[in-house]
Amino acid sequence: MEPSSAPPCRMCVPRLGLLLAVSLLTAWIPTTVAQLTVEPVPPDAAEGMDVLLLVYNLPENSPVYLWYKGETADPNRLIATYVTSLGNTAPGPAYSARDRILSNGSLLIQNVTLEDTGNYTIQAMNILYVPSEASAQFRVYPKLPEPHITSNQSQPVEGEDSVAFTCEPEIQNITYLWWIHGQRLPETTDRLQLSPDNRTLTVLSVTRNDTGPYECGVSNPGNTARSDPFSMNVSYGPDAPTISPPDLYYCSGANLSLFCHAVSDPPAQYSWLVNGRLQQATQELLVPNVSVNNSGSYTCHVNNSITGLNRITVENITVFGPVAQPAIRVINTTVLERDRLVLTCLTDDAGISIRWIFNSQSLNLTARTRLSPGNSTLNIYPVMKVDEGEYQCEAFHLNCSSKSDPLWMTVKDNPEPESSDLLPGAIAGIVIGVVAGVALIAVLAYFLYCSKTGRASDQRHLTEYKPSASNHSQGRSDSSPEKVDEVTYSSLIFNAQQPKQPTPASLSPRATETVYSEVKRK
Ligand SMILES: *[C@@H]1O[C@H](CO)[C@@H](O)[C@H](O)[C@H]1NC(C)=O
Ligand SMILES: *[C@@H]1O[C@H](CO)[C@@H](O)[C@H](O)[C@H]1NC(C)=O
Ligand SMILES: *[C@@H]1O[C@H](CO)[C@@H](O)[C@H](O)[C@H]1NC(C)=O
Ligand SMILES: *[C@@H]1O[C@H](CO)[C@@H](O)[C@H](O)[C@H]1NC(C)=O
Ligand SMILES: *[C@@H]1O[C@H](CO)[C@@H](O)[C@H](O)[C@H]1NC(C)=O
Ligand SMILES: *[C@@H]1O[C@H](CO)[C@@H](O)[C@H](O)[C@H]1NC(C)=O
Ligand SMILES: *[C@@H]1O[C@H](CO)[C@@H](O)[C@H](O)[C@H]1NC(C)=O
Ligand SMILES: *[C@@H]1O[C@H](CO)[C@@H](O)[C@H](O)[C@H]1NC(C)=O
Ligand SMILES: *[C@@H]1O[C@H](CO)[C@@H](O)[C@H](O)[C@H]1NC(C)=O
């Protein structure tokens, strides 16, 4: 800028003034940068609540603040003046006993009314008595009463009725809300419908699962009120009844006790029919000491007087006649240790099943026990001391049974043979050796004979070699093939016996011995 060409100094003064103002302004900025503001808490209130108008960024050491109703600092609508140094409130024309200015500048309005809705303005002086202003507004909404639910049908029937729930009372300009099982009602489904104002909820074609509870709510921005839970009393059923126990077969002499149950609300009425004839109108049917005559169809009939529905379940029950008592046949009730014990169960009933009982418990099968097909013969070999005790056989058909009288079997000691007993064994060994030698010679002779004659009677060999272990008494005419036959037979027996005797090793030689002596006897 050129001073020579500078205009008259008249212009310099405002310029200086502007400069001063700018510098003053910049000096002010740090204190005014934080704007005075008011925040209503809550901005939407219900009648009777307290509202706090919170003030932020009051001027430092502000000596006085004034609260006005309205958007401006209108002296006619002054609520109160607060003098910091005195800590007291001087009421204005718009003052109410519910208004209280706090030391930090905030205004507390207690127990607000609908008329309190509107704007509020604070005017706060700084230390130089330069005022600053801020406004805020809040709304007060009517306090909502607790709503309640009414239903247009007190006892709807499942699958038949639709029910309309209405939330009372009716209030303008509020929102109605619904909860089922405590869950906010989502969008309406095909069975749940809301009226346009949401005040009426309709449940179409109710089911037993629609009993609720239901709750309704009324809401405005200031508050929400929720009704007490409301449950619907849906009548349903009866469903098909169940009969317990489900057994269809009984033994004569048993007590028949049939219990019927059907899901139903209100509870079903029960009655029993036997072979189509009304027996009694009870839930439980008792027929003591049944006989074959009591076989037949047992029908449980259920009825619901409200739904008017009837259902039945039929059970065809068969009563079996008494099972004849079986008997045990035995040759001798005393057996020697290591001998064979054979018991036979005798029963007149055809097609009946048999099981064995030892010392009042189900007989344990061991490797020494063998049962005939159908279980009628019990065979224990070799008998041991532990086999002594009480035997019973039981004839049974499904769950009907009859036990034989108990039979006590004694197992007598049979001391293990001493070392002198080896002698018969040795003799047997020698005999076997001799027999085997003779047999070998016979076989050789036979083969020689066969090769000489030049024809092999394979077919005959096959038949004779066939292991007919059980066919002891089969007669034989040929003298030379018989010996062969005997040797083969004895070895077959031996092989057959050996795996079936997983008894202590000491017993094996004796078993073999017996077999060989049998062969010898032949
Ligand atoms: C003013 O004081 C009240 C009551 O003590 C308090 O609730 C409020 O938060 C204070 N205001 C500010 C802006 O901190
Ligand atoms: C709130 O105000 C109502 C009238 O507006 C009054 O009936 C009620 O007693 C007041 N409640 C309290 C707690 O001051
Ligand atoms: C209850 O309201 C539902 C839905 O509007 C209607 O279908 C039903 O017939 C009403 N029941 C009675 C008893 O009025
Ligand atoms: C409901 O709201 C409408 C507009 O929003 C208003 O004109 C009417 O006066 C209100 N009614 C009530 C009872 O508040
Ligand atoms: C009714 O409720 C639904 C949600 O359930 C909402 O979207 C809708 O605006 C409500 N209508 C009224 C009139 O309140
Ligand atoms: C009721 O609900 C149960 C389980 O949620 C379901 O198995 C049954 O089918 C429902 N009954 C009806 C009548 O809707
Ligand atoms: C049948 O019931 C009678 C008494 O009611 C009872 O003495 C008897 O032992 C019962 N019979 C059977 C097999 O349970
Ligand atoms: C059960 O009935 C039979 C005939 O059916 C009879 O002989 C027996 O004494 C009855 N038993 C009881 C306990 O009533
Ligand atoms: C079975 O019924 C017949 C006639 O109904 C009767 O004479 C007979 O005594 C009954 N038998 C038993 C075991 O109750």
Side-chain angles (χ1 to χ4, degrees), residues 14 79 125 137 239 302 381 387 449 474 479 503 508 515:
I79 294 168
M125 305 298 173
Q137 61 167 320
D239 292 352
V302 288
Y381 178 82
D387 299 321
Y449 169 76
Q474 213 174 5
S479 55
T503 39
S508 299
V515 171

Side-chain angles (χ1 to χ4, degrees), residues 206 291 440 450 486 514 520:
V206 295
S291 66
L440 198 71
C450 285
E486 266 187 359
T514 320
K520 225 168 23 164

